[in-house]
Amino acid sequence: MGSKRAMLGNGLGDVLDGMIARHNRFIDLFTGSASVAWHVAQHYPIKTLAFDLQSYSTVLAAAILQRNSPVYPDQIWNDWYSRALIQFESFSAPLSSEVDVAFVDKARAWGSEFDENCLIHAYAGHYYSPVQAAWIQALRNTVPAISPNREVCLAALVMAASKCAAAPGHTAQPFQPTETAIKYLQISWQRDFCADLYAALTLIAPLHARVVGEAHVGDANEVASRLRTGDLAFIDPPYSAVQYSRFYHVLEAISVGSTSPVFGVGRYPPLNERPSSQYSQRTTSLRATEDLLNTLASRGVSAIITFPDHECSNGMDAKMIKDVARGLFKIKTHSVSSIFSTLGGAATKKTGSRLARLKADEMILCLEPK
Ligand SMILES: C[S@@+](CC[C@H](N)C(=O)[O-])C[C@H]1O[C@@H](n2cnc3c(N)ncnc32)[C@H](O)[C@@H]1O
């Protein structure tokens, strides 16, 4: 999962600290892994709201934003595990200490016997071993019904699923049982899913917001039209010309609990069911940014924007955003160095290659109503 976590200790944390006290609400409009929303909600007595087109992001955000006291992981886990175990055993997942081509075939054949909307059918033998997929399905089917335990458990499930996925970085495509990649498949498939889940649960359980907030699926531009004076929006929009849903569709299906029939090596649901962002298209990214900043300015909303300072694959760079903001807001500019994922975006003149992770400067723009 991509993240602004590192930047919080490298300039962004100080910028937030300087602006939050003057505002009544903090709104993370592109929350992603929710690292910024988690940080603000935990450290400041301010209502924090988080939005994203992808529901897995809001699942992560909700686990901390939507409660102001800790939960106790052992009780939650023991109850959840015993409910899930009954289902897990009923799935009779095949097991093997050796991951070879024959076992991958067997795993896929076993998964294909299940209903084609279920997680086992979609991912067993691909992103997950049969045992991992059976646990994911059983745990998702038996997730607690009542808040806040439900949100905490869903987030832990997404985090463990991200950790165990047999894919290089993002879940665009799983490792295949080829001579060179089978060792990576074996490493991922041998992870103990329940141990990763329990670790995630114990990490999240003690963390909570100081003021109860909210997390919702939503389009940033539409959400912006409902904000008001006194709000501080955090804007970390996509910079890649490849849709985020291409990389996070597995986590998305797990957070929702099912998927439409998947296809291709990447096991994607149909394209028209994957969230699509105007910010991830070269032809619409500038227009979407202009509309967003115009809306925020017209509503007297302050904003912090982060963006790489070189041309990105969606055609945008920080200077273009600054040019849009100049006529609308009072601006303060900070620059920090950062490492970010290209998310498979095409090379640009400046980056020159398809490196998965790049070192680059990133600009932080602080915008206040004129
Ligand atoms: C650069 S990432 C944000 C990373 C995040 N700040 C973090 O720390 O992980 C951009 C996010 O914006 C989301 N997104 C794209 N277009 C959106 C839109 N129109 N409205 C809301 N979210 C959007 C993507 O799904 C993705 O999660």
Side-chain angles (χ1 to χ4, degrees), residues 284-298:
T284 51
S285 55
L286 178 58
R287 184 61 200 269
T289 308
E290 288 169 345
D291 287 349
L292 178 62
L293 295 190
N294 270 305
T295 304
L296 294 175
S298 72

PDB file of all heavy atoms in Angstrom, residues 284-298:
ATOM      1  N   THR A 284      -7.892  14.472 -18.410  1.00  0.00           N
ATOM      2  CA  THR A 284      -8.848  15.066 -17.458  1.00  0.00           C
ATOM      3  C   THR A 284      -8.218  15.493 -16.126  1.00  0.00           C
ATOM      4  O   THR A 284      -8.894  16.129 -15.320  1.00  0.00           O
ATOM      5  CB  THR A 284      -9.989  14.071 -17.153  1.00  0.00           C
ATOM      6  OG1 THR A 284      -9.395  12.808 -16.796  1.00  0.00           O
ATOM      7  CG2 THR A 284     -10.897  13.882 -18.351  1.00  0.00           C
ATOM      8  N   SER A 285      -6.942  15.148 -15.892  1.00  0.00           N
ATOM      9  CA  SER A 285      -6.370  15.388 -14.557  1.00  0.00           C
ATOM     10  C   SER A 285      -6.299  16.886 -14.217  1.00  0.00           C
ATOM     11  O   SER A 285      -6.623  17.285 -13.089  1.00  0.00           O
ATOM     12  CB  SER A 285      -4.991  14.738 -14.440  1.00  0.00           C
ATOM     13  OG  SER A 285      -4.155  15.187 -15.484  1.00  0.00           O
ATOM     14  N   LEU A 286      -5.907  17.713 -15.187  1.00  0.00           N
ATOM     15  CA  LEU A 286      -5.794  19.148 -14.900  1.00  0.00           C
ATOM     16  C   LEU A 286      -7.170  19.743 -14.617  1.00  0.00           C
ATOM     17  O   LEU A 286      -7.369  20.492 -13.662  1.00  0.00           O
ATOM     18  CB  LEU A 286      -5.108  19.871 -16.072  1.00  0.00           C
ATOM     19  CG  LEU A 286      -4.985  21.386 -15.905  1.00  0.00           C
ATOM     20  CD1 LEU A 286      -4.203  21.754 -14.646  1.00  0.00           C
ATOM     21  CD2 LEU A 286      -4.314  22.013 -17.137  1.00  0.00           C
ATOM     22  N   ARG A 287      -8.138  19.368 -15.437  1.00  0.00           N
ATOM     23  CA  ARG A 287      -9.498  19.890 -15.269  1.00  0.00           C
ATOM     24  C   ARG A 287     -10.065  19.498 -13.892  1.00  0.00           C
ATOM     25  O   ARG A 287     -10.688  20.301 -13.197  1.00  0.00           O
ATOM     26  CB  ARG A 287     -10.373  19.344 -16.402  1.00  0.00           C
ATOM     27  CG  ARG A 287     -11.775  19.872 -16.421  1.00  0.00           C
ATOM     28  CD  ARG A 287     -11.745  21.387 -16.606  1.00  0.00           C
ATOM     29  NE  ARG A 287     -12.989  21.999 -16.167  1.00  0.00           N
ATOM     30  CZ  ARG A 287     -14.026  22.220 -16.944  1.00  0.00           C
ATOM     31  NH1 ARG A 287     -13.964  21.925 -18.218  1.00  0.00           N
ATOM     32  NH2 ARG A 287     -15.117  22.757 -16.471  1.00  0.00           N
ATOM     33  N   ALA A 288      -9.825  18.248 -13.487  1.00  0.00           N
ATOM     34  CA  ALA A 288     -10.317  17.782 -12.181  1.00  0.00           C
ATOM     35  C   ALA A 288      -9.681  18.595 -11.055  1.00  0.00           C
ATOM     36  O   ALA A 288     -10.349  18.990 -10.092  1.00  0.00           O
ATOM     37  CB  ALA A 288     -10.012  16.297 -12.011  1.00  0.00           C
ATOM     38  N   THR A 289      -8.376  18.886 -11.207  1.00  0.00           N
ATOM     39  CA  THR A 289      -7.671  19.668 -10.187  1.00  0.00           C
ATOM     40  C   THR A 289      -8.222  21.095 -10.138  1.00  0.00           C
ATOM     41  O   THR A 289      -8.458  21.641  -9.047  1.00  0.00           O
ATOM     42  CB  THR A 289      -6.156  19.699 -10.520  1.00  0.00           C
ATOM     43  OG1 THR A 289      -5.708  18.356 -10.717  1.00  0.00           O
ATOM     44  CG2 THR A 289      -5.347  20.340  -9.411  1.00  0.00           C
ATOM     45  N   GLU A 290      -8.428  21.685 -11.305  1.00  0.00           N
ATOM     46  CA  GLU A 290      -8.984  23.057 -11.342  1.00  0.00           C
ATOM     47  C   GLU A 290     -10.355  23.097 -10.673  1.00  0.00           C
ATOM     48  O   GLU A 290     -10.636  23.979  -9.856  1.00  0.00           O
ATOM     49  CB  GLU A 290      -9.109  23.525 -12.802  1.00  0.00           C
ATOM     50  CG  GLU A 290      -7.780  23.828 -13.452  1.00  0.00           C
ATOM     51  CD  GLU A 290      -7.902  24.024 -14.972  1.00  0.00           C
ATOM     52  OE1 GLU A 290      -8.937  23.661 -15.570  1.00  0.00           O
ATOM     53  OE2 GLU A 290      -6.933  24.519 -15.554  1.00  0.00           O
ATOM     54  N   ASP A 291     -11.203  22.131 -11.021  1.00  0.00           N
ATOM     55  CA  ASP A 291     -12.559  22.110 -10.448  1.00  0.00           C
ATOM     56  C   ASP A 291     -12.492  21.981  -8.920  1.00  0.00           C
ATOM     57  O   ASP A 291     -13.215  22.655  -8.193  1.00  0.00           O
ATOM     58  CB  ASP A 291     -13.374  20.935 -11.019  1.00  0.00           C
ATOM     59  CG  ASP A 291     -13.776  21.185 -12.470  1.00  0.00           C
ATOM     60  OD1 ASP A 291     -13.606  22.331 -12.950  1.00  0.00           O
ATOM     61  OD2 ASP A 291     -14.238  20.226 -13.114  1.00  0.00           O
ATOM     62  N   LEU A 292     -11.608  21.097  -8.459  1.00  0.00           N
ATOM     63  CA  LEU A 292     -11.503  20.877  -7.008  1.00  0.00           C
ATOM     64  C   LEU A 292     -11.074  22.156  -6.297  1.00  0.00           C
ATOM     65  O   LEU A 292     -11.675  22.572  -5.295  1.00  0.00           O
ATOM     66  CB  LEU A 292     -10.506  19.739  -6.735  1.00  0.00           C
ATOM     67  CG  LEU A 292     -10.244  19.422  -5.275  1.00  0.00           C
ATOM     68  CD1 LEU A 292     -11.511  18.958  -4.570  1.00  0.00           C
ATOM     69  CD2 LEU A 292      -9.156  18.336  -5.125  1.00  0.00           C
ATOM     70  N   LEU A 293     -10.010  22.787  -6.806  1.00  0.00           N
ATOM     71  CA  LEU A 293      -9.490  23.983  -6.122  1.00  0.00           C
ATOM     72  C   LEU A 293     -10.488  25.143  -6.212  1.00  0.00           C
ATOM     73  O   LEU A 293     -10.642  25.903  -5.251  1.00  0.00           O
ATOM     74  CB  LEU A 293      -8.129  24.370  -6.691  1.00  0.00           C
ATOM     75  CG  LEU A 293      -7.022  23.331  -6.454  1.00  0.00           C
ATOM     76  CD1 LEU A 293      -5.658  23.900  -6.824  1.00  0.00           C
ATOM     77  CD2 LEU A 293      -6.992  22.841  -5.015  1.00  0.00           C
ATOM     78  N   ASN A 294     -11.174  25.264  -7.338  1.00  0.00           N
ATOM     79  CA  ASN A 294     -12.209  26.308  -7.453  1.00  0.00           C
ATOM     80  C   ASN A 294     -13.305  26.089  -6.416  1.00  0.00           C
ATOM     81  O   ASN A 294     -13.749  27.026  -5.760  1.00  0.00           O
ATOM     82  CB  ASN A 294     -12.827  26.282  -8.859  1.00  0.00           C
ATOM     83  CG  ASN A 294     -12.049  27.190  -9.798  1.00  0.00           C
ATOM     84  OD1 ASN A 294     -11.859  28.369  -9.519  1.00  0.00           O
ATOM     85  ND2 ASN A 294     -11.577  26.638 -10.897  1.00  0.00           N
ATOM     86  N   THR A 295     -13.740  24.855  -6.276  1.00  0.00           N
ATOM     87  CA  THR A 295     -14.812  24.552  -5.302  1.00  0.00           C
ATOM     88  C   THR A 295     -14.347  24.880  -3.884  1.00  0.00           C
ATOM     89  O   THR A 295     -15.057  25.529  -3.114  1.00  0.00           O
ATOM     90  CB  THR A 295     -15.204  23.058  -5.395  1.00  0.00           C
ATOM     91  OG1 THR A 295     -15.582  22.787  -6.734  1.00  0.00           O
ATOM     92  CG2 THR A 295     -16.346  22.730  -4.461  1.00  0.00           C
ATOM     93  N   LEU A 296     -13.140  24.445  -3.539  1.00  0.00           N
ATOM     94  CA  LEU A 296     -12.644  24.682  -2.178  1.00  0.00           C
ATOM     95  C   LEU A 296     -12.525  26.181  -1.913  1.00  0.00           C
ATOM     96  O   LEU A 296     -12.928  26.675  -0.850  1.00  0.00           O
ATOM     97  CB  LEU A 296     -11.292  23.985  -1.967  1.00  0.00           C
ATOM     98  CG  LEU A 296     -11.333  22.449  -2.003  1.00  0.00           C
ATOM     99  CD1 LEU A 296      -9.931  21.869  -1.903  1.00  0.00           C
ATOM    100  CD2 LEU A 296     -12.216  21.889  -0.875  1.00  0.00           C
ATOM    101  N   ALA A 297     -11.981  26.909  -2.894  1.00  0.00           N
ATOM    102  CA  ALA A 297     -11.815  28.358  -2.703  1.00  0.00           C
ATOM    103  C   ALA A 297     -13.170  29.036  -2.533  1.00  0.00           C
ATOM    104  O   ALA A 297     -13.348  29.889  -1.656  1.00  0.00           O
ATOM    105  CB  ALA A 297     -11.059  28.951  -3.888  1.00  0.00           C
ATOM    106  N   SER A 298     -14.141  28.630  -3.353  1.00  0.00           N
ATOM    107  CA  SER A 298     -15.453  29.285  -3.286  1.00  0.00           C
ATOM    108  C   SER A 298     -16.142  29.008  -1.961  1.00  0.00           C
ATOM    109  O   SER A 298     -17.023  29.743  -1.540  1.00  0.00           O
ATOM    110  CB  SER A 298     -16.343  28.834  -4.449  1.00  0.00           C
ATOM    111  OG  SER A 298     -16.741  27.494  -4.235  1.00  0.00           O
TER     112      SER A 298
END
